[in-house]
Amino acid sequence: MATNSCNEAYVVENGGLKGSSKEMRPGRTAHNMSSSSLRKKSDLALVSKVPCRCLRMLLANLQEVILGTKLSILFPAIPLAVVAEFYSFGRPWVFALSLLGLTPLAERVSFLTEQIAYYTGPTVGGLLNATCGNATELIIAIFALSQHKIEVVKYSLLGSVLSNLLLVLGTSLLCGGLANLRKEQKYDRRQADVNSLMLLLALLCHLLPMLFRYAGAPATPTADLTLNLSRASSIVMLLAYVVYIFFQLVTHRQLFEAQEEGEEDDNTASGEEAVIGFWSGFVWLVGMTLVIALLSKYVVDTIESASASWGLSVSFLSIILLPIVGNAAEHAGAIIFAFKNKLDITLGVALGSATQIAMFVVPLCVVVAWTMGIRMDLNFNLLETCSLALSIIVTAFTLQDGTSHYMKGFVLLLCYVVIGACFFVLRTPLNQPNMNNLELKLSTEAVFRA
């Protein structure tokens, strides 16, 4: 009764819920379901006894937002990172603590967008999820762009796509296959087909700028042409992503809704009703975003120091470590649902995140860099682009028949291990000259010599 009375207070104060009943509210997205697997129900019986109404609401919000996740143990890393930066502790410590602090924040942003969706309706909630689902990667990329660390931007976004396609999906299919050896694992191919098409379009837009410099005459500088092609391709990708969101939220919503079958875990929040009010959720969302921005700045500022101290290349830290830690909550949720033989949710998380990064975050960074006067293109260099191409093709082949077993996951996971070993061995300097700029310089010198 105490919990229900607190929830009713939220609704009275913030307005009625939109589509909260099972008859009106459509199925939840895979991202919402994945994040909810790491949530835990809060017992508000003690909080409800606080006489002051304002204090009671504040404590209830703190309990739901801060303590309502199984990752709450990582929240102390946030003030520790701030203290370490303020008192100039070892910069590798600042880097490590900031990464740990980003892990629960990413899960809490997903929780808050879902809470706001109860008041705004599923369409607006879907748009919030589409824009905030990978807020951590986007904020890190923007801070790296502001410091002209274009390689860090490219590496981190490439790593996010690779980790979703190979690490998350591979681990999920492997664990799900081993846990359900005597069951036939099936999933809806239609959602996988749509995401695979979007990823192939993104691959085309990455391949052409890289190959463009081979199409012209040997002495023709192609740096400006490649940059212009990348900007045009980015606009096309953003337009395609807008249509994809319309396809996902309006015309073919049923393909992307996560079906909640079976019994829910007693410790997992079912999400059938809002637990915080609209304005409370909005304020918390803004606050969480600001904290993510602060920790992202710390990560960008200290990544080179961590690389030098740990003996790991910046490319390895950006491609392997950043995506694993930054999206650990979402990845864990996908694996948990694979154990439960709910592969549609797992595919929705892995493929949906990869599509969002490749078709929204990457081209948006190119456009943002354009407005900032920074020359960022879609040429991710030969090794990185080939890794992306093989990952997308292998994943598309893996998902073509609508069934799964542990061998498919094992192969995807091995592909990720090989790519990770490649970037572990490769030690490319962070400020190496861009191939297009190097080509322009060499061609200019050749003209002068002639």
Side-chain angles (χ1 to χ4, degrees):
M1 288 297 292
T3 303
N4 292 334
S5 63
C6 286
N7 291 336
E8 289 171 3
Y10 293 136
V11 177
V12 171
E13 182 177 353
N14 294 277
L17 302 177
K18 290 188 177 181
S20 59
S21 65
K22 289 185 178 180
E23 292 76 12
M24 297 177 62
R25 185 169 64 85
R28 301 159 69 196
T29 64
H31 286 82
N32 296 144
M33 290 288 292
S34 175
S35 297
S36 67
S37 64
L38 293 176
R39 297 172 195 164
K40 57 184 180 181
K41 292 183 178 180
S42 300
D43 186 5
L44 300 177
L46 184 61
V47 174
S48 62
K49 298 178 181 179
V50 176
C52 179
R53 184 173 183 273
C54 293
L55 181 60
R56 183 172 66 251
M57 297 293 289
L58 176 61
L59 293 176
N61 271 267
L62 286 172
Q63 185 165 347
E64 291 289 355
V65 177
I66 303 300
L67 301 178
T69 172
K70 298 175 183 177
L71 300 174
S72 58
I73 191 176
L74 296 178
F75 272 115
I78 299 175
L80 289 177
V82 176
V83 171
E85 174 68 16
F86 183 78
Y87 287 101
S88 300
F89 289 170
R91 296 181 71 78
W93 281 103
V94 178
F95 179 80
L97 291 172
S98 299
L99 280 184
L100 290 177
L102 286 172
T103 301
L105 289 174
E107 189 274 332
R108 290 289 85 185
V109 166
S110 176
F111 163 74
L112 292 170
T113 55
E114 182 181 357
Q115 293 297 307
I116 293 175
Y118 283 105
Y119 302 94
T120 61
T123 302
V124 177
L127 291 174
L128 278 174
N129 184 70
T131 53
C132 299
N134 293 98
T136 304
E137 290 91 341
L138 181 58
I139 294 174
I140 290 177
I142 292 176
F143 273 106
L145 279 177
S146 66
Q147 300 183 20
H148 295 266
K149 296 182 179 179
I150 300 177
E151 292 84 0
V152 173
V153 178
K154 293 181 177 181
Y155 286 149
S156 62
L157 297 181
L158 172 66
S160 295
V161 177
L162 295 180
S163 66
N164 277 291
L165 293 181
L166 300 180
L167 177 63
V168 179
L169 187 58
T171 307
S172 299
L173 296 183
L174 174 62
C175 296
L178 293 176
N180 300 274
L181 280 175
R182 301 183 182 277
K183 299 179 182 178
E184 185 178 16
Q185 291 189 289
K186 292 185 177 181
Y187 51 85
D188 191 346
R189 279 185 52 195
R190 295 174 296 175
Q191 179 186 165
D193 290 343
V194 173
N195 284 298
S196 297
L197 285 175
M198 296 294 290
L199 289 171
L200 288 173
L201 174 59
L203 176 60
L204 175 66
C205 294
H206 282 82
L207 278 174
L208 291 181
M210 186 194 71
L211 300 175
F212 192 69
R213 62 191 180 95
Y214 297 105
T220 303
T222 59
D224 291 334
L225 300 178
T226 300
L227 183 63
N228 293 332
L229 176 61
S230 297
R231 290 170 176 174
S233 298
S234 297
I235 295 175
V236 172
M237 293 166 72
L238 290 174
L239 178 61
Y241 186 75
V242 171
V243 177
Y244 168 76
I245 292 300
F246 183 80
F247 180 88
Q248 180 180 3
L249 298 180
V250 180
T251 60
H252 290 72
R253 179 193 297 273
Q254 69 279 1
L255 297 183
F256 298 89
E257 288 177 353
Q259 301 299 321
E260 302 179 57
E261 299 175 354
E263 296 183 357
E264 298 270 347
D265 189 348
D266 293 337
N267 296 324
T268 301
S270 64
E272 290 298 328
E273 59 182 8
V275 294
I276 62 175
F278 172 79
W279 289 111
S280 298
F282 181 78
V283 171
W284 276 106
L285 181 61
V286 172
M288 291 283 185
T289 304
L290 293 176
V291 177
I292 289 176
L294 178 64
L295 296 183
S296 299
K297 183 179 184 301
Y298 290 168
V299 168
V300 174
D301 290 342
T302 58
I303 187 171
E304 294 175 78
S305 299
S307 172
S309 176
W310 298 344
L312 300 173
S313 64
V314 174
S315 60
F316 181 81
L317 292 179
S318 303
I319 293 177
I320 304 300
L321 190 60
L322 280 181
I324 291 178
V325 178
N327 289 317
E330 191 176 71
H331 296 173
I335 296 172
I336 290 173
F337 279 104
F339 269 109
K340 298 179 180 180
N341 201 18
K342 297 181 179 180
L343 292 185
D344 286 326
I345 299 177
T346 298
L347 294 179
V349 172
L351 296 180
S353 293
T355 302
Q356 190 175 56
I357 292 292
M359 293 296 296
F360 175 67
V361 179
V362 172
L364 183 62
C365 287
V366 174
V367 174
V368 171
W370 187 6
T371 62
M372 298 169 62
I374 300 173
R375 298 170 63 87
M376 177 181 173
D377 56 28
L378 292 176
N379 181 9
F380 279 32
N381 296 326
L382 182 61
L383 178 61
E384 290 82 354
T385 305
C386 288
S387 299
L388 176 64
L390 292 175
S391 300
I392 293 175
I393 293 172
V394 169
T395 302
F397 270 104
T398 301
L399 302 177
Q400 64 180 342
D401 62 349
T403 61
S404 176
H405 46 74
Y406 71 88
M407 192 62 193
K408 290 185 176 182
F410 185 63
V411 172
L412 291 178
L413 195 57
L414 288 182
C415 290
Y416 187 78
V417 171
V418 172
I419 292 176
C422 175
F423 287 105
F424 178 81
V425 174
L426 182 68
R427 297 185 180 274
T428 304
L430 181 61
N431 296 318
Q432 71 167 3
N434 183 273
M435 288 303 298
N436 288 325
N437 296 333
L438 180 61
E439 180 189 59
L440 176 60
K441 179 180 178 181
L442 293 176
S443 60
T444 304
E445 292 176 353
V447 170
F448 279 112
R449 284 196 302 268

